[in-house]
């Protein structure tokens, strides 16, 4: 095939490429014309978030750093769809871009990785935990105020290498990312949701396209997972009320319940872990956005906006 039918835009990290391959394989399995060799192409786009590695994202501009250049490529029609880790996607999308598809969610929990301890509680007093996440840092300090939290950025492989070199005693990584990279065996343990509430939308892959691209919309509808969409919609509504970026330590997790409903827990922490504000909601899947919004308002009022 001389010209691809569909061009996928993605960041160039090993995890981003693995996620783009997952979407391409799902589309090829669901859409016969996309199963033809050469029908799907991938374009790697370097984002501001990939270039800025010397400071926390919260200081550099927040979540949009991982999506801005990809959104621009889409609006310029250099790509047709884009694959994102949903936890990197801002709660407000640019005009002309839609988010019609999320794949079935991976395990949303965080993995604890350390050569010196099997769990967060087992770390020696005063140990150093490396993370670029304000959420992880705050929740670590809330549980273990004796620990030292330092900024620790880079892709999964580079963080694992720094850990092996003894730069820090432990780090936390999304279990979903480790699994997608075939690195789940690197986890020393898995943190419970009570220990470390995941980031909003952690473990979910989202696919964006242009609002006016009916062909891409129709193809993506064939691989979209309604359950994941409901969970993430609830979580993102909670985040939108509190802070759309990376500047506040926020965790949120919605899960489909056995009876077909939705159960949500959301938390906001002070950056030093000295206080945590929590809200819980349960209700119908159809009310996913309202549940998250209502929980966000409760936490915002209780925290005084931090």
């Amino acid at each position: 095939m001389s010209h691809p039918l569909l061009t996928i835009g993605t960041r160039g990290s090993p995890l981003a490429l693995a996620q783009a391959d997952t979407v391409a394989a799902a589309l090829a399995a669901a859409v016969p014309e996309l199963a033809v060799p050469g029908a799907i192409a991938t374009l790697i786009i370097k984002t501001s978030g990939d270039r800025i590695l010397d400071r926390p994202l919260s200081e550099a501009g927040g979540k949009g750093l991982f999506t801005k250049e990809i959104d621009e490529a889409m609006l310029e029609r250099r790509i047709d769809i884009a694959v994102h880790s949903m936890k990197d996607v801002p709660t407000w999308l640019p005009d002309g871009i839609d988010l019609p598809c999320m794949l079935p969610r991976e395990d949303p929990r965080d993995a604890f990785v350390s050569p010196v301890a099997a769990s967060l509680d087992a770390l020696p007093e005063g140990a150093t935990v490396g993370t670029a996440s304000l959420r992880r840092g705050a929740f670590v300090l809330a549980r273990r105020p004796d620990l030292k939290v330092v900024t620790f950025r880079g892709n999964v492989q580079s963080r694992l290498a720094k850990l092996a070199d003894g730069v820090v005693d432990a780090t936390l990584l999304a279990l979903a990312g480790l699994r997608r990279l075939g690195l789940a065996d690197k986890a020393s343990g898995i943190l419970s949701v009570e220990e470390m509430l995941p980031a909003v939308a952690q473990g979910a892959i989202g696919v964006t396209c242009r609002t006016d691209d009916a062909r891409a919309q129709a193809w993506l509808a064939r691989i979209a997972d309604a359950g994941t969409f409901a969970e993430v919609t609830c979580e993102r509504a909670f985040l939108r009320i509190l802070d759309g970026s990376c500047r506040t330590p926020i965790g949120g997790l919605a899960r489909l319940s056995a009876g077909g409903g939705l159960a949500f827990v959301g938390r906001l922490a002070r950056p030093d872990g000295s206080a945590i504000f929590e809200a819980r909601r349960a209700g119908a899947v159809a009310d996913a956005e309202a549940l998250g919004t209502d929980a966000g308002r409760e936490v915002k009022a209780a925290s005084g906006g931090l």
Side-chain angles (χ1 to χ4, degrees):
M1 184 174 290
S2 58
H3 189 71
L5 291 177
L6 186 78
T7 300
I8 300 176
T10 176
R11 295 167 59 203
S13 73
L15 179 56
L17 292 172
Q19 294 181 165
D21 287 346
T22 297
V23 170
L27 284 166
V31 183
E33 56 261 55
L34 294 180
V36 178
I40 300 177
T42 300
L43 179 66
I44 294 174
I45 298 166
K46 189 147 190 163
T47 69
S48 302
D50 298 311
R51 284 192 290 267
I52 300 169
L53 295 173
D54 59 343
R55 58 194 189 275
L57 291 181
S58 53
E59 294 175 12
K63 288 190 178 215
L65 293 170
F66 285 126
T67 56
K68 178 174 174 284
E69 287 85 356
I70 295 175
D71 290 338
E72 289 169 353
M74 182 175 290
L75 294 172
E76 291 166 3
R77 300 182 181 269
R78 289 187 284 131
I79 59 173
D80 301 301
I81 66 173
V83 178
H84 299 284
S85 292
M86 277 306 304
K87 69 175 184 176
D88 292 335
V89 178
T91 52
W92 301 100
L93 297 173
D95 288 343
I97 291 180
D98 195 13
L99 176 61
C101 173
M102 294 179 208
L103 298 194
R105 193 176 197 172
E106 245 292 4
D107 192 318
R109 292 176 296 174
D110 278 307
F112 176 80
V113 191
S114 172
V116 300
S119 68
L120 186 60
D121 289 345
L123 278 173
E125 189 169 343
T128 302
V129 177
T131 179
S133 160
L134 289 176
R135 170 189 63 89
R136 288 175 178 142
F139 290 160
V140 163
L141 290 172
R143 191 171 183 89
R144 289 285 309 272
D146 61 290
L147 297 177
K148 183 181 179 189
V149 174
V150 299
T151 299
F152 195 62
R153 287 203 51 210
N155 65 34
V156 171
Q157 285 85 349
S158 67
R159 280 186 272 178
L160 289 173
K162 285 187 205 173
L163 184 65
D165 288 341
V167 176
V168 294
D169 297 309
T171 191
L172 308 176
L173 297 166
L175 179 60
L178 290 176
R179 286 189 167 172
R180 289 182 183 128
L181 290 167
L183 296 172
D185 62 320
K186 300 291 185 186
S188 309
I190 298 170
L191 291 158
S192 72
V193 172
E194 290 309 314
E195 284 180 282
M196 180 63 58
L197 193 64
V200 161
Q202 186 156 297
I205 295 173
V207 191
T208 57
C209 66
R210 286 183 297 278
T211 307
D212 62 3
D213 190 341
R215 185 185 67 164
Q217 297 262 4
W219 286 344
L220 291 174
R222 299 191 199 180
I223 64 168
D225 184 76
T228 298
F229 211 97
E231 291 177 357
V232 172
T233 294
C234 180
E235 294 165 21
R236 282 167 62 82
F238 176 75
L239 180 65
R240 189 180 299 124
I241 293 296
L242 293 170
D243 173 329
S245 70
C246 293
R247 295 183 181 87
T248 315
I250 296 168
L253 184 64
R255 298 307 258 164
L256 295 177
S257 57
L262 198 66
F264 173 76
V265 57
R267 292 186 194 129
L268 169 70
R270 290 209 170 101
D272 63 0
S274 61
I276 291 179
F277 306 90
E278 178 182 286
R280 293 177 182 263
R281 292 291 184 277
V285 168
D287 297 328
E289 187 157 0
L291 292 170
T293 299
D294 196 47
R297 287 178 180 148
E298 178 187 329
V299 165
K300 189 169 189 174
S303 68
L306 275 185

